[in-house]
Amino acid sequence: MTDTERSAALEHLMQAYGSGIKRFCTLQLKDPFQAEDAAQDTFVKAWKALDTFRKEGSEKAWLIRIAVNVCRDYQRTGWFRHTERRVTPDSLPEQGQDAHFPDGEVSRAVGALPQKLRMTVLLRYYEAMTIGETADALGVSHATAKRQLKKANEILRRKLEGWYYDD
């Protein structure tokens, strides 16, 4: 792949998935400034690995998989563990707040989930990925992704039971 082709491919990926990757990183890291850095690192790693991308997979799942690993690397640092991080629905890029749930309760409940479950919910519902794409992005089996999603849904249902009601 020539440098021109690589640049065009990277530009396409950034245009198509840039805001989604940044949003995912923000929800994972709970820090909009670190999320910006993580999103940039994700695209740098993607650019370096463009030659290894297999076309049979989804571009989005491939990028999310890179973002998952970048966020994990950030979370392993000592600095990350010792800083206060708070994400409010207003601080999220673009689709930050759902018009149906303007008080942000759902976002807080999802943010309080254990990391593996939170990542599964974010990919499946926030990024609108299929179970297969979610499993690929997380590097787990299809059955594991379904099991994690079911467990997360049970936890969220219990947490939001008294908050959400139908008229």
Side-chain angles (χ1 to χ4, degrees), residues 22-39 71 74-75 79-80 83-88 91-93:
K22 185 177 176 189
R23 188 174 47 257
F24 174 79
C25 292
T26 302
L27 290 166
Q28 277 304 107
L29 298 173
K30 299 181 181 177
D31 181 323
F33 300 109
Q34 275 199 318
E36 182 88 28
D37 292 344
C71 289
Y74 275 54
Q75 290 167 333
W79 182 86
F80 184 86
T83 58
E84 176 83 20
R85 292 170 313 283
R86 294 195 193 276
V87 172
T88 63
S91 69
L92 293 174

Side-chain angles (χ1 to χ4, degrees), residues 75-155:
Q75 290 167 333
R76 287 185 187 119
T77 66
W79 182 86
F80 184 86
R81 289 189 300 270
H82 295 94
T83 58
E84 176 83 20
R85 292 170 313 283
R86 294 195 193 276
V87 172
T88 63
D90 295 333
S91 69
L92 293 174
E94 287 187 16
Q95 303 171 357
Q97 193 168 10
D98 190 337
H100 300 297
F101 308 109
D103 65 355
E105 187 65 27
V106 174
S107 295
R108 282 191 289 280
V110 170
L113 288 170
Q115 182 179 9
K116 286 181 182 182
L117 301 180
R118 182 176 62 241
M119 287 185 358
T120 305
V121 167
L122 293 176
L123 295 177
R124 178 67 182 104
Y125 297 122
Y126 283 66
E127 297 298 328
M129 296 175 86
T130 66
I131 290 289
E133 290 173 329
T134 300
D136 289 345
L138 296 174
V140 298
S141 71
H142 187 70
T144 299
K146 284 180 81 168
R147 203 170 29 255
Q148 289 174 342
L149 191 59
K150 182 178 178 184
K151 186 173 182 178
N153 284 334
E154 289 169 0
I155 292 169

